[in-house]
């Protein structure tokens, strides 16, 4: 690298084109905190970045996209003050691997047989994408590096995933002739098994909506002959909501569409059963602590 192209100072003892000045927490200690990352050029248009704030440090990657502009992504926290876990806290080699995942997804990674300047030597299985949520994380990391806001990004992604799942359900609902709220009622009744009956109070508790909302959905489904009200012999003040034969058929068709969509998504993601189980376990721990 030419001297006038350097994007960060090289501490004493490090080679001019070496990554040694970023490789360890001890070598990075020589760098002064500042508002922009220290960038190390890995290849043409590709940089690994180390941001050092007053109280925290993080890894970044960027890609030159033309006209003097770069696309940037936050990779994770740096292991300056806590041990790397390979997920939210990364050491240098883990940051390198994650940056190559992202660059390869952008079509600028290491191709088969090409030497990797940082010794990575592999292509990722799946693309790591940047989006507007990364921009939020980058903004807060720079504006308030003293605060740990890493979980905010996680919750925003959970919310976005839920929104996208509900949007898929809305499309399935439209295809089978009901709205998404009504479909949730049909699926709740179908999954309890024959005779596919629940009390209205059990329905609104299961669906986490108000009793009034459930009543309106039941009324519409009853008019469509998808459910029926049957008196409860054990409680004359209440009635059971039961799927009709047509309601069972519609619920089965809808859940088959859901399963097909999830299978396609799962294949596209490329995660193993063990990885899905691990992700589920982490979410369970988060929900247990929040509850």
């Amino acid at each position: 690298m030419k001297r006038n192209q350097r994007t960060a100072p090289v501490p004493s003892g490090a080679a001019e084109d070496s990554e040694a000045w970023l490789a360890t927490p001890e070598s990075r200690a020589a760098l002064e905190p500042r508002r922009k990352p220290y960038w190390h050029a890995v290849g043409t248009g590709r940089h690994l970045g180390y941001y050092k704030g007053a109280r925290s440090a993080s890894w970044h990657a960027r890609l030159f996209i033309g006209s003097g502009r770069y696309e940037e992504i936050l990779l994770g926290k740096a292991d300056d003050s806590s041990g790397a876990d390979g997920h939210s806290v990364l050491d240098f080699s883990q940051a390198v691997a994650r940056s190559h995942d992202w660059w390869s997804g952008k079509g600028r990674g290491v191709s088969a047989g090409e030497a990797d300047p940082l010794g990575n030597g592999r292509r990722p299985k799946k693309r790591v994408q940047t989006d507007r949520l990364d921009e939020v994380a980058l903004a807060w990391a720079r504006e308030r590096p003293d605060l740990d806001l890493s979980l905010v990004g996680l919750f925003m992604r959970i919310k976005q995933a839920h929104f996208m799942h509900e949007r898929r359900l809305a499309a399935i609902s439209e295809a089978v002739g009901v709205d998404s709220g009504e479909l949730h009622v049909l699926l709740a009744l179908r999954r309890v098994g024959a005779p596919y009956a629940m009390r209205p109070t059990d329905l609104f508790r299961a669906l986490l909506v108000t009793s009034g909302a459930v009543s309106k959905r039941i009324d519409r489904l009853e008019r469509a002959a998808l459910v029926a009200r049957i008196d409860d012999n054990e409680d004359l003040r209440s009635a059971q909501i039961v799927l009709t034969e047509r309601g069972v058929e519609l619920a089965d068709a809808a859940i088959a569409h859901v399963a097909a969509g999830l299978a396609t998504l799962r294949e596209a993601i490329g995660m193993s059963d063990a990885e899905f189980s691990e992700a589920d376990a982490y979410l369970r721990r988060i929900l247990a602590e929040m509850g």
Side-chain angles (χ1 to χ4, degrees):
M1 182 188 303
K2 295 181 181 179
R3 190 171 300 277
N4 63 0
Q5 292 178 315
R6 192 181 319 286
T7 53
V10 178
S12 176
E16 186 175 80
D17 59 352
S18 169
E19 69 274 6
W21 58 284
L22 289 179
T24 66
E26 292 75 20
S27 64
R28 298 191 295 268
L31 301 174
E32 294 293 327
R34 68 180 197 180
R35 292 181 63 83
K36 296 182 178 180
Y38 291 93
W39 293 107
H40 172 63
V42 176
T44 303
R46 290 179 292 162
H47 297 85
L48 176 68
Y50 168 71
Y51 170 78
K52 186 173 185 179
R55 299 185 183 180
S56 64
S58 54
W59 294 110
H60 301 251
R62 73 178 184 181
L63 176 68
F64 182 69
I65 58 177
S67 302
R69 296 181 297 116
Y70 286 86
E71 185 173 356
E72 183 180 336
I73 188 173
L74 173 66
L75 300 172
K77 292 183 179 180
D79 63 330
D80 289 28
S81 58
S82 60
D85 59 17
H87 297 284
S88 60
V89 182
L90 309 176
D91 61 23
F92 174 75
S93 63
Q94 292 165 345
V96 168
R98 191 167 291 184
S99 66
H100 276 278
D101 283 352
W102 184 60
W103 289 324
S104 294
K106 294 292 183 179
R108 296 290 291 276
V110 179
S111 60
E114 178 184 350
D116 187 329
L118 292 181
N120 195 40
R122 65 181 179 86
R123 287 186 68 88
K125 293 181 179 179
K126 291 295 173 183
R127 173 177 179 169
V128 179
Q129 299 186 37
T130 183
D131 57 24
R132 63 181 181 83
L133 299 185
D134 290 315
E135 297 174 2
V136 173
L138 285 167
W140 281 120
R142 290 171 180 170
E143 293 301 314
R144 292 301 306 269
D146 56 311
L147 300 178
D148 182 0
L149 298 171
S150 55
L151 281 181
V152 172
L154 173 64
F155 290 134
M156 289 175 68
R157 294 194 188 282
I158 292 173
K159 181 178 180 180
Q160 185 180 38
H162 174 72
F163 169 77
M164 295 172 73
H165 177 66
E166 287 297 312
R167 188 170 60 185
R168 289 171 181 263
L169 283 181
I172 293 172
S173 301
E174 184 177 357
V176 298
V178 296
D179 69 28
S180 57
E182 294 161 5
L183 180 60
H184 280 297
V185 172
L186 296 177
L187 295 179
L189 290 167
R190 177 62 182 87
R191 66 175 174 258
V192 299
Y196 315 118
M198 296 177 71
R199 294 181 304 165
T201 52
D202 295 329
L203 272 171
F204 77 73
R205 288 169 182 166
L207 298 177
L208 302 178
V209 296
T210 65
S211 59
V214 165
S215 294
K216 291 178 181 179
R217 295 176 189 180
I218 292 171
D219 289 342
R220 293 194 296 267
L221 291 170
E222 188 175 22
R223 288 195 295 269
L226 297 173
V227 303
R229 299 175 191 264
I230 299 178
D231 290 337
D232 188 342
N233 293 330
E234 296 182 0
D235 185 354
L236 298 179
R237 297 169 301 175
S238 183
Q240 293 275 349
I241 309 303
V242 183
L243 281 180
T244 63
E245 182 177 350
R246 182 165 172 261
V248 173
E249 292 175 354
L250 191 148
D252 281 339
I255 200 62
H257 281 298
V258 171
L262 292 177
T264 300
L265 179 62
R266 184 176 182 128
E267 182 178 358
I269 294 172
M271 290 171 62
S272 66
D273 289 343
E275 289 171 326
F276 273 110
S277 295
E278 183 178 16
D280 181 68
Y282 282 124
L283 286 174
R284 288 173 183 270
R285 287 170 58 184
I286 290 173
L287 291 173
E289 288 300 321
M290 294 182 67

